[in-house]
Amino acid sequence: MAMIQSARRAAGTAALTTRLFSMGPIASHSTALSAAGPARMASTTAAAVEPVQGGSFNVAPPASDKEEKKKEHEKAAAASYWGVAPTRVFKEDGTQWQWSCFRPWDTYAADVSIDLTRHHEPATFGDRAARQAVKTMRWAADAFFQRRYGCRAMMLETVAAVPGMVAGMVLHLRSLRRFEHSGGWIRALLEEAENERMHLMTFMEVAKPKWYERALVITIQGVFFNAYFLGYLLSPKFAHRVVGYLEEEAVHSYTEFLRDIDAGSIDNVPAPAIAVDYWRLPPGATLRDVVVVVRADEAHHRDVNHYASDIYHQRHALREVAAPIGYH
Ligand SMILES: [Fe+2]
Ligand SMILES: [Fe+2]
């Protein structure tokens, strides 16, 4: 059922992409570009925009823009030497797609109908150890962040984006080493890592990290990456179970986040532009809408990782079961 939904979602994405967007080299759209700038800024703190006729927007170039333009020109010249022109994507209304870190076909409307309460009851010693490990991490996060959920979300995402990349890398290398297919799991896990990284890019707009938080991220990443890598080599079943429980905690944290927004202790500010485009949120979307879709993503990650652990538990390899690609 989930796979059918994924396929439908992918088909819907493709159709929407064809309908709304076109793509081509810069040169063929230079005229349109000069007439219409991006509809939304790349960051909520980006330069000011000037409204022009027809309700669209045009960017007013800052006076000190010359150097930037020169650099861009040099970059374009280097790219064209190799015949690799940076592609730019345009919407149907002629405005340019402003994000280079993700494209229209990467965007989706989150499935917020997913059951948020599902929980894997620990059944084995490994399950209980995984649950305890996550409880300990949660205790540390509670002690450090308390109810500063913006900061907490941002820091959580710096960790949450690691397992998918590590697992995808290990499976990639295994596929090469053993001359065998992956069942789509490499892609599914890398998609999860990318999705988590988009959560981070979003929360960066809401909570700016301080220097000591950045230092903490570097330290935690150094420890967690290596621990998870080793753990995945020794027992992928255990590693996926840990992530399954981590995602259960993430769902809980975002529910608390929503509670604080609803209680008024966290300002329900406008959604960052990057989130509006990535999750196809309606105009006027707020931080609350963002937290709701991020929480739905975490619930999908929970299911995928518990599912992967269950596959190992049933003494199968992941490659024997088609991966849930596009499931988020
Ligand atoms: Fe996340
Ligand atoms: Fe997640």
Side-chain angles (χ1 to χ4, degrees), residues 28-270:
S28 63
H29 292 279
S30 57
T31 316
L33 254 180
S34 62
R40 200 179 289 118
M41 297 309 297
S43 157
T44 47
T45 54
V49 292
E50 281 182 359
V52 294
Q53 274 190 337
S56 61
F57 291 87
N58 199 7
V59 180
S64 60
D65 209 29
K66 261 188 176 175
E67 198 58 37
E68 280 302 310
K69 276 192 173 164
K70 197 179 159 198
K71 275 184 200 163
E72 208 164 287
H73 173 75
E74 283 165 2
K75 260 194 249 167
S80 66
Y81 173 79
W82 295 106
V84 184
T87 50
R88 287 188 182 175
V89 181
F90 295 85
K91 297 182 187 176
E92 210 173 43
D93 61 5
T95 56
Q96 189 187 332
W97 179 256
Q98 63 174 308
W99 312 104
S100 53
C101 56
F102 68 101
R103 303 300 172 93
W105 46 89
D106 300 316
T107 70
Y108 61 98
D111 173 16
V112 294
S113 68
I114 189 165
D115 184 354
L116 300 169
T117 61
R118 290 191 76 185
H119 163 66
H120 176 81
E121 202 54 53
T124 64
F125 173 77
D127 288 354
R128 282 188 285 277
R131 184 88 186 101
Q132 195 50 49
V134 172
K135 285 275 177 208
T136 307
M137 284 187 245
R138 162 128 189 238
W139 176 83
D142 282 348
F144 189 81
F145 295 108
Q146 295 175 349
R147 296 192 77 83
R148 291 182 299 137
Y149 286 109
C151 274
R152 186 185 176 127
M154 186 183 63
M155 298 292 274
L156 174 78
E157 299 299 353
T158 66
V159 173
V162 171
M165 183 58 70
V166 171
M169 179 187 71
V170 171
L171 295 183
H172 176 76
L173 295 177
R174 183 173 298 158
S175 171
L176 301 180
R177 248 185 2 256
R178 298 184 180 174
F179 303 91
E180 64 188 21
H181 287 260
S182 71
W185 281 91
I186 298 168
R187 190 166 154 201
L189 291 165
L190 294 184
E191 269 183 3
E192 181 188 300
E194 181 66 8
N195 185 239
E196 294 286 17
R197 207 171 57 80
M198 288 305 297
H199 293 174
L200 177 65
M201 297 300 109
T202 295
F203 284 111
M204 264 168 35
E205 296 285 329
V206 183
K208 306 283 180 197
K210 297 186 171 61
W211 70 266
Y212 58 84
E213 288 168 337
R214 287 174 182 270
L216 188 65
V217 168
I218 293 168
T219 309
I220 291 175
Q221 190 177 90
V223 174
F224 186 71
F225 173 88
N226 287 293
Y228 194 80
F229 176 57
L230 201 62
Y232 203 88
L233 290 178
L234 294 173
S235 173
K237 179 173 76 172
F238 177 75
H240 279 296
R241 191 66 79 205
V242 167
V243 179
Y245 285 128
L246 260 179
E247 301 290 356
E248 286 186 18
E249 289 298 338
V251 170
H252 174 79
S253 288
Y254 283 116
T255 300
E256 293 284 299
F257 198 157
L258 284 176
R259 208 164 284 160
D260 277 11
I261 291 174
D262 292 341
S265 50
I266 294 177
D267 289 342
N268 192 19
V269 296

